[in-house]
Amino acid sequence: MSDERTVKKEYENLLSIAATRCKGEDEIAMIRKAYDYACEAYKDSALGNGETYILHPIRIATIVVSAIGLGYKSICASLLIDVPAFVDNAPDAIRNLFGNKVAQLVDGLAQMRKILDTSETPKEEESGEDLQAENFKRVLLTMGDDVRVVLIKLADRLDKCRHIDVYTAAKAHKYLDEIKGIFIPLAHRLGLYTVKSELENIWLRYKHPEEYQEIERRIDRDVAQRSRDIDEFIEPVSEALTASGLSFEIKKRIKTPYSIWHKMLTKHVSFEQIYDLYAVRIIFDLGQRDPDAERRTAFEIYQTIISMYPDKPNRLRNWIRQPKPNGYEALHCTVMSKAGIWVEVQIRSRRMDDIAEKGIAAHWSYKQDGYLSENDTQVDRWLKKVQEIISSDDVDSLDLLDIIQDELSTKSIVVFTPAGEQRSIPKGSTVLDFAYTVHTGIGNQAIAAKVNMKLVPLSRKLRNGDLVEILTARRSSPKPEWLSFLQTRHARRKVLEFLKSAGDEQFNRGEAFLKDMEDSRKSDITLRVSLQGSNRPGLLEDIENALRQIDGIDDVVISEL
């Protein structure tokens, strides 16, 4: 297909999708105007594979509207994304032709391009981690008051990674490092599951090709064997929900290669030991805006499913009662099919599904349409938190990266301050970890805490819903011993920084504590269980699988004594 025909096809596809988001012919006309201006700006330029340059902006705009759900101003900004690099005095021209908001978006994208494109290699005094952390902070700073800049840049990086073979090895390596260190965490925190999953799989395919191909092969083989089993699992559920008069659709899903690889790596389980390899998603429509009705319907569907299939109670995940920090809401359960395989069932309303797939853009869309619930502020809280962090003198770039990594590496729980403020912290965090999330000074001067009005030590691990008050003393300071129970990277880094400033002896004691802790985690733990009189088939395998799912257990070996 010639370039001209390819451009025409891609552009017509963009307009067709955009028509579903635009509110009239005026907005479509603005998109056409942006396209014409971009074509003129890029007319003598080509992409790395020889294709005409305009194809890349068209593809960005298509991702922006189809995968993220943004509107016509973001589509225009996507088409104009690189115009400032090609046209003199472009900012003024764009402002005159398309208005202030589109000009601000294009300017934010130009700033982000400079941040990322001018940092090919770290300076002599910088480590790779320092540079990545600084870039991460600077990318967040470019959001300003409009997160759409980051959303459009995510689409830009996704399209470049889809065509990563056209770049030099050095450029491809740089892009892959950036999507892993910057754009995947951002997609996760902004609730963009579809974009995040595709970026993760691209990263794995190029960084660990053998593992990726092996998992793909295993998935293809397993799906071929199990496709009929999943259909047979769905059939009675579909019949029961239809009989109840519910409007719904059911989708089948296989866990992505990256998520399988990551779980095998972190949980030390085999491919066969992954419970949620198969998932069935039930999306229901109520035809009314009633969060309470959504919750009731989700649990009615859950009751219908477990009346047909035995469930695994410890795998029930209620993210409707307590949504994830990125706004994700759903009810997950894992049940045993008649074919003898574990199937994860994800239950969502149409609103929940839109937010799960398109993240923050869908969240804002429902909010603007007047669909408000107590969960709508989850994403807003995170954005406010990011703005506070990046403008704080107390947190440097590495701290920011630590905070994000802490959030990504573990599940979250929610605790409350004495003023009733809700805060999300990594599961397993101690009172002292929480103190350092509030402020470094509070962490450094902490002596104890009150949890649910009872006095507790700093090492006390927090639970979901705890009310936490930190007690401080002006003359108190961090102790090397604290490193033996702190769980988050951010808190450990702050303690080490203080100990280093206090002198070599204190710092060396702190490092010794960390080494001892690491050694103790590597040591074997023997768990003796009496199974006398029990001969249930598969019992040992079930025990082994259950132990592997526990956080902190790296490996399980079961042997006869």
Side-chain angles (χ1 to χ4, degrees), residues 179-418:
I179 67 167
K180 183 71 166 128
I182 297 175
F183 292 104
I184 289 173
L186 282 174
H188 174 87
R189 294 307 283 109
L190 295 173
L192 294 164
Y193 175 79
T194 304
V195 173
K196 169 181 169 282
S197 295
E198 188 171 353
L199 287 173
E200 287 173 336
N201 286 332
I202 290 170
W203 180 87
L204 182 65
R205 187 166 75 240
Y206 285 94
K207 285 292 189 176
H208 300 278
E210 293 180 3
E211 288 96 327
Y212 179 86
Q213 289 165 12
E214 173 62 16
I215 291 172
E216 280 271 86
R217 186 183 64 79
R218 298 287 295 273
I219 290 173
D220 291 343
R221 187 181 68 188
D222 221 61
V223 168
Q225 294 173 347
R226 295 296 187 183
S227 183
R228 183 180 297 176
D229 293 337
I230 300 299
D231 289 338
E232 289 176 355
F233 172 87
I234 290 172
E235 187 176 356
V237 175
S238 181
E239 289 174 355
L241 296 181
T242 300
S244 72
L246 188 68
S247 174
F248 68 95
E249 66 173 313
I250 298 182
K251 297 179 179 179
K252 294 184 288 186
R253 185 224 72 174
I254 302 295
K255 205 169 182 68
T256 66
Y258 176 89
S259 58
I260 292 172
W261 171 81
H262 186 259
K263 193 159 194 175
M264 290 170 66
L265 187 71
T266 57
K267 295 290 187 181
H268 297 274
V269 295
S270 66
F271 183 90
E272 292 78 12
Q273 291 170 313
I274 296 176
Y275 282 122
D276 54 351
L277 181 62
Y278 305 96
V280 170
R281 184 172 299 155
I282 300 172
I283 305 163
F284 61 90
D285 293 282
L286 292 183
Q288 58 179 321
R289 296 174 174 180
D290 186 347
D292 290 333
E294 284 184 349
R295 294 188 190 98
R296 285 196 301 274
T297 303
F299 275 94
E300 286 167 3
I301 294 171
Y302 167 68
Q303 291 295 333
T304 298
I305 293 166
I306 64 172
S307 69
M308 298 177 182
Y309 301 106
D311 69 325
K312 195 171 185 62
N314 66 341
R315 297 287 299 170
L316 179 64
R317 301 290 183 264
N318 186 357
W319 285 305
I320 292 177
R321 183 178 63 84
Q322 182 58 64
K324 292 184 178 182
N326 62 10
Y328 180 84
E329 295 177 73
L331 188 64
H332 290 195
C333 62
T334 301
V335 296
M336 178 62 77
S337 73
K338 290 183 171 64
I341 59 172
W342 291 107
V343 179
E344 182 182 79
V345 182
Q346 303 170 353
I347 304 167
R348 306 174 181 170
S349 68
R350 180 66 59 186
R351 176 187 66 85
M352 295 174 191
D353 188 63
D354 285 345
I355 291 174
E357 296 301 308
K358 295 180 178 175
I360 194 167
H363 160 84
W364 279 336
S365 177
Y366 279 99
K367 193 170 184 177
Q368 289 168 0
D369 288 345
Y371 194 117
L372 299 175
S373 75
E374 65 270 28
N375 298 329
D376 283 342
T377 56
Q378 289 287 334
V379 178
D380 297 317
R381 283 195 192 106
W382 184 76
L383 288 173
K384 183 180 178 183
K385 177 182 174 182
V386 167
Q387 293 295 340
E388 289 173 352
I389 290 171
I390 60 181
S391 62
S392 171
D393 293 334
D394 185 56
V395 179
D396 63 19
S397 300
L398 279 172
D399 291 330
L400 178 61
L401 196 61
D402 283 346
I403 290 167
I404 298 296
Q405 290 300 332
D406 283 335
E407 289 183 344
L408 297 183
S409 62
T410 60
K411 296 174 183 176
S412 296
I413 61 171
V414 171
V415 297
F416 296 88
T417 68

Side-chain angles (χ1 to χ4, degrees), residues 359-528:
I360 194 167
H363 160 84
W364 279 336
S365 177
Y366 279 99
K367 193 170 184 177
Q368 289 168 0
D369 288 345
Y371 194 117
L372 299 175
S373 75
E374 65 270 28
N375 298 329
D376 283 342
T377 56
Q378 289 287 334
V379 178
D380 297 317
R381 283 195 192 106
W382 184 76
L383 288 173
K384 183 180 178 183
K385 177 182 174 182
V386 167
Q387 293 295 340
E388 289 173 352
I389 290 171
I390 60 181
S391 62
S392 171
D393 293 334
D394 185 56
V395 179
D396 63 19
S397 300
L398 279 172
D399 291 330
L400 178 61
L401 196 61
D402 283 346
I403 290 167
I404 298 296
Q405 290 300 332
D406 283 335
E407 289 183 344
L408 297 183
S409 62
T410 60
K411 296 174 183 176
S412 296
I413 61 171
V414 171
V415 297
F416 296 88
T417 68
E421 182 186 351
Q422 180 177 313
R423 287 179 177 262
S424 292
I425 59 173
K427 184 179 179 181
S429 292
T430 65
V431 165
L432 189 56
D433 287 295
F434 172 74
Y436 276 106
T437 68
V438 178
H439 193 276
T440 299
I442 292 176
N444 284 347
Q445 295 181 348
I447 54 172
K450 287 183 180 179
V451 174
N452 304 323
M453 307 301 289
K454 294 181 179 178
L455 195 64
V456 299
L458 295 174
S459 58
R460 155 76 142 77
K461 287 194 176 183
L462 295 172
R463 301 186 182 91
N464 209 35
D466 279 344
L467 177 66
V468 189
E469 179 183 358
I470 305 298
L471 306 179
T472 61
R474 191 172 298 174
R475 294 187 178 181
S476 179
S477 61
K479 316 292 189 295
E481 293 81 4
W482 287 3
L483 294 165
S484 66
F485 59 80
L486 282 171
Q487 301 296 308
T488 60
R489 289 173 35 149
H490 173 63
R492 286 198 295 267
R493 184 189 295 279
K494 285 301 180 185
V495 171
L496 281 171
E497 283 178 1
F498 181 90
L499 296 178
K500 194 169 187 178
S501 68
D504 289 343
E505 183 181 348
Q506 289 279 72
F507 182 65
N508 291 338
R509 284 181 63 201
E511 286 200 319
F513 266 102
L514 283 180
K515 185 178 185 304
D516 290 344
M517 184 172 60
E518 190 63 31
D519 290 342
S520 68
R521 284 178 176 172
K522 293 177 181 177
S523 64
D524 292 335
I525 297 176
T526 301
L527 176 67
R528 289 184 173 84

